[in-house]
Amino acid sequence: RDFVEHYSKAWESGKAMLVFIDKLTCVRMQGLIQYYWDRKIKELEAGLPKIDDDQEAQMRKRQIAWMRETRIAVVVSEEQNEVKKFRRWGLDIKPHRRLIKEGFETEDGKRIAVDDAFKKDEHPFRVAIVCAMWLTGFAVPNLSTLYLDKPLTAHPLMQAIARANRVHEGKTNGLIVDYCGVLKN
């Protein structure tokens, strides 16, 4: 809920990456985030008739449209017996794995790789949920906010922070949201 509340207000700032402790948590959190994301859209839509200012109403409509088109995806490495492992926890890894392997469908029916889509400013894949992939050596200049919910120290922590601190036009700085006290390290 906190992520949805925060990122839905920072909707013009760039892309976001959430870092969780493990793959199971990534998939579980994606379901929760999508649920609260959809609720937030309904809440914003319900508030539209109460807005008196035309400019504010137009801004809210743009925010709702942005939220509706935003794609949230889990990006995790593959492992043996993962389907059975996720099933034991009541989760399905198959749609996530399919997206990672096939990419997003484009308007012209072609496909774009998940990593390429995340790097493109205009692509609606705006929220990546990861546990290890993309934390090192993956430059996405338009990544503006990194949400950490995984203990990190030393070099891995510095590499993770660097994900949000890339220079990009219109971006003054990256933002790190620390859910588990990582930044004291």
Side-chain angles (χ1 to χ4, degrees), residues 95-157:
H96 305 285
R97 186 62 55 220
R98 189 170 32 258
L99 178 63
I100 293 166
K101 288 182 177 184
E102 296 175 6
F104 291 96
E105 188 169 350
T106 60
E107 290 180 12
D108 61 2
K110 296 179 182 175
R111 301 203 82 76
I112 182 171
V114 172
D115 56 340
D116 291 336
F118 199 62
K119 290 176 183 179
K120 287 187 176 282
D121 286 341
E122 68 280 358
H123 196 280
F125 175 29
R126 298 186 180 108
V127 180
I129 300 173
V130 304
C131 67
M133 285 183 70
W134 292 4
L135 284 185
T136 60
F138 184 66
V140 180
N142 60 357
L143 177 69
S144 63
T145 311
L146 181 69
Y147 298 84
L148 295 176
D149 194 26
K150 176 180 181 171
L152 296 169
T153 59
H155 188 68
L157 175 58

Side-chain angles (χ1 to χ4, degrees), residues 7 15-16 30 34 37-38 66-74 99 104-105 118 123-129:
Y7 191 58
K15 300 205 177 192
Q30 192 271 343
Q34 192 64 59
W37 191 263
D38 294 341
W66 178 88
M67 287 185 73
R68 284 199 172 286
E69 74 175 13
T70 293
R71 297 292 161 254
I72 302 167
V74 172
L99 178 63
F104 291 96
E105 188 169 350
F118 199 62
H123 196 280
F125 175 29
R126 298 186 180 108
V127 180
I129 300 173

Side-chain angles (χ1 to χ4, degrees), residues 142-183:
N142 60 357
L143 177 69
S144 63
T145 311
L146 181 69
Y147 298 84
L148 295 176
D149 194 26
K150 176 180 181 171
L152 296 169
T153 59
H155 188 68
L157 175 58
M158 293 308 296
Q159 283 284 317
I161 289 170
R163 299 304 108 218
N165 270 341
R166 300 278 188 221
V167 175
H168 188 64
E169 186 177 331
K171 179 173 136 181
T172 55
N173 62 283
L175 176 65
I176 309 298
V177 178
D178 181 10
Y179 286 118
C180 62
V182 168
L183 295 181

Side-chain angles (χ1 to χ4, degrees), residues 4-5 8 33-49 60-72:
V4 170
E5 201 57 41
S8 68
I33 288 166
Q34 192 64 59
Y35 170 78
Y36 287 111
W37 191 263
D38 294 341
R39 273 185 45 180
K40 183 67 175 179
I41 291 170
K42 288 177 184 168
E43 175 189 316
L44 292 171
E45 288 173 333
L48 267 174
R60 177 69 52 87
K61 287 177 185 175
R62 286 198 344 258
Q63 178 187 12
I64 291 167
W66 178 88
M67 287 185 73
R68 284 199 172 286
E69 74 175 13
T70 293
R71 297 292 161 254
I72 302 167

Side-chain angles (χ1 to χ4, degrees), residues 64-101:
I64 291 167
W66 178 88
M67 287 185 73
R68 284 199 172 286
E69 74 175 13
T70 293
R71 297 292 161 254
I72 302 167
V74 172
V75 181
V76 293
S77 59
E78 195 168 6
E79 63 183 73
Q80 284 188 325
N81 301 317
E82 68 180 4
V83 172
K84 186 191 287 186
K85 173 184 172 180
F86 279 82
R87 194 177 300 133
R88 276 196 306 265
W89 288 91
L91 301 168
D92 187 4
I93 188 64
K94 289 187 272 185
H96 305 285
R97 186 62 55 220
R98 189 170 32 258
L99 178 63
I100 293 166
K101 288 182 177 184

